[in-house]
Amino acid sequence: LFSFHVKDTDELRYQVAIGRNVVEAFYGMVRLVGKPRQAPPKDYFVEPIFNSWIEFHTDVTQQGLDDYVDKIRRHGFPCRVIEIDDKWTPTYGDFVFDPKKFPEPARMIDRFHAMGLKVILWATPFIEKAAENYRVAESNRYLIMDESGKAPYVTQWWNGQATLVDFSNPAAYSWYL
């Protein structure tokens, strides 16, 4: 069904959840890791979540989002959550708004909140070497390391090459949050 390779390790432990269908696999996973401590907010389920990707792909801007939300409201679509998707940041791994695309992000978010919307941001565990956060993550060893253990592992993903946050490191996990 699958394979993976691990080089030069003293120990490796893993568990696999399988089932005849997705429901059985889900319950197998729940047996392994347990149930979530709490459910996501109700607003994530009672009405559709509108997402900037559908309208803009990576060309999302503050003006475009303002117009998109106004159009959603003008047409009477139910909406409690707006997700700002890919490329709201200048580089992957920097969790600040791109000032060229979003000159006043706080004003935009305040406006959306005043309209009764929750705002969520798309984030990835990938950090580009050009990101400001790369230097922080590298110097604190918050990144998955390569086989030598001396340099961050660089992977290819659909948006280019990047390093990955090591979520097995509690300090890296806290920093990322």
PDB file of all heavy atoms in Angstrom, residues 36-42 45:
ATOM      1  N   PRO A  36     -10.341  14.736  19.570  1.00  0.00           N
ATOM      2  CA  PRO A  36      -9.962  16.123  19.838  1.00  0.00           C
ATOM      3  C   PRO A  36     -10.526  16.566  21.193  1.00  0.00           C
ATOM      4  O   PRO A  36     -11.575  16.098  21.632  1.00  0.00           O
ATOM      5  CB  PRO A  36     -10.634  16.907  18.703  1.00  0.00           C
ATOM      6  CG  PRO A  36     -10.911  15.899  17.643  1.00  0.00           C
ATOM      7  CD  PRO A  36     -11.117  14.591  18.341  1.00  0.00           C
ATOM      8  N   ARG A  37      -9.796  17.438  21.863  1.00  0.00           N
ATOM      9  CA  ARG A  37     -10.250  17.942  23.159  1.00  0.00           C
ATOM     10  C   ARG A  37     -11.500  18.792  23.044  1.00  0.00           C
ATOM     11  O   ARG A  37     -12.289  18.880  23.961  1.00  0.00           O
ATOM     12  CB  ARG A  37      -9.137  18.743  23.832  1.00  0.00           C
ATOM     13  CG  ARG A  37      -8.070  17.835  24.449  1.00  0.00           C
ATOM     14  CD  ARG A  37      -6.945  18.624  25.010  1.00  0.00           C
ATOM     15  NE  ARG A  37      -5.902  18.501  23.981  1.00  0.00           N
ATOM     16  CZ  ARG A  37      -4.903  19.318  23.818  1.00  0.00           C
ATOM     17  NH1 ARG A  37      -4.754  20.334  24.593  1.00  0.00           N
ATOM     18  NH2 ARG A  37      -4.021  19.141  22.880  1.00  0.00           N
ATOM     19  N   GLN A  38     -11.656  19.457  21.914  1.00  0.00           N
ATOM     20  CA  GLN A  38     -12.851  20.268  21.694  1.00  0.00           C
ATOM     21  C   GLN A  38     -13.131  20.347  20.205  1.00  0.00           C
ATOM     22  O   GLN A  38     -12.231  20.166  19.392  1.00  0.00           O
ATOM     23  CB  GLN A  38     -12.702  21.664  22.292  1.00  0.00           C
ATOM     24  CG  GLN A  38     -11.631  22.514  21.612  1.00  0.00           C
ATOM     25  CD  GLN A  38     -11.442  23.836  22.323  1.00  0.00           C
ATOM     26  OE1 GLN A  38     -11.379  23.876  23.529  1.00  0.00           O
ATOM     27  NE2 GLN A  38     -11.339  24.901  21.566  1.00  0.00           N
ATOM     28  N   ALA A  39     -14.359  20.606  19.875  1.00  0.00           N
ATOM     29  CA  ALA A  39     -14.744  20.753  18.473  1.00  0.00           C
ATOM     30  C   ALA A  39     -14.361  22.146  17.989  1.00  0.00           C
ATOM     31  O   ALA A  39     -14.290  23.091  18.778  1.00  0.00           O
ATOM     32  CB  ALA A  39     -16.254  20.554  18.337  1.00  0.00           C
ATOM     33  N   PRO A  40     -14.127  22.297  16.697  1.00  0.00           N
ATOM     34  CA  PRO A  40     -13.917  23.638  16.145  1.00  0.00           C
ATOM     35  C   PRO A  40     -15.151  24.501  16.419  1.00  0.00           C
ATOM     36  O   PRO A  40     -16.241  23.977  16.687  1.00  0.00           O
ATOM     37  CB  PRO A  40     -13.747  23.390  14.643  1.00  0.00           C
ATOM     38  CG  PRO A  40     -13.323  21.969  14.533  1.00  0.00           C
ATOM     39  CD  PRO A  40     -14.005  21.259  15.670  1.00  0.00           C
ATOM     40  N   PRO A  41     -15.005  25.818  16.336  1.00  0.00           N
ATOM     41  CA  PRO A  41     -16.153  26.697  16.582  1.00  0.00           C
ATOM     42  C   PRO A  41     -17.346  26.352  15.696  1.00  0.00           C
ATOM     43  O   PRO A  41     -17.190  25.971  14.532  1.00  0.00           O
ATOM     44  CB  PRO A  41     -15.614  28.094  16.243  1.00  0.00           C
ATOM     45  CG  PRO A  41     -14.132  27.971  16.399  1.00  0.00           C
ATOM     46  CD  PRO A  41     -13.793  26.562  16.002  1.00  0.00           C
ATOM     47  N   LYS A  42     -18.532  26.493  16.248  1.00  0.00           N
ATOM     48  CA  LYS A  42     -19.775  26.178  15.543  1.00  0.00           C
ATOM     49  C   LYS A  42     -19.877  26.955  14.224  1.00  0.00           C
ATOM     50  O   LYS A  42     -20.409  26.451  13.234  1.00  0.00           O
ATOM     51  CB  LYS A  42     -20.959  26.507  16.452  1.00  0.00           C
ATOM     52  CG  LYS A  42     -22.303  26.174  15.860  1.00  0.00           C
ATOM     53  CD  LYS A  42     -23.424  26.506  16.831  1.00  0.00           C
ATOM     54  CE  LYS A  42     -24.765  26.240  16.194  1.00  0.00           C
ATOM     55  NZ  LYS A  42     -25.860  26.613  17.081  1.00  0.00           N
ATOM     56  N   PHE A  45     -19.270  25.435  10.832  1.00  0.00           N
ATOM     57  CA  PHE A  45     -20.133  24.389  10.303  1.00  0.00           C
ATOM     58  C   PHE A  45     -21.521  24.861   9.896  1.00  0.00           C
ATOM     59  O   PHE A  45     -22.158  24.228   9.079  1.00  0.00           O
ATOM     60  CB  PHE A  45     -20.298  23.262  11.342  1.00  0.00           C
ATOM     61  CG  PHE A  45     -18.999  22.618  11.701  1.00  0.00           C
ATOM     62  CD1 PHE A  45     -18.345  22.949  12.868  1.00  0.00           C
ATOM     63  CD2 PHE A  45     -18.422  21.678  10.862  1.00  0.00           C
ATOM     64  CE1 PHE A  45     -17.135  22.360  13.200  1.00  0.00           C
ATOM     65  CE2 PHE A  45     -17.216  21.077  11.182  1.00  0.00           C
ATOM     66  CZ  PHE A  45     -16.571  21.417  12.362  1.00  0.00           C
TER      67      PHE A  45
END
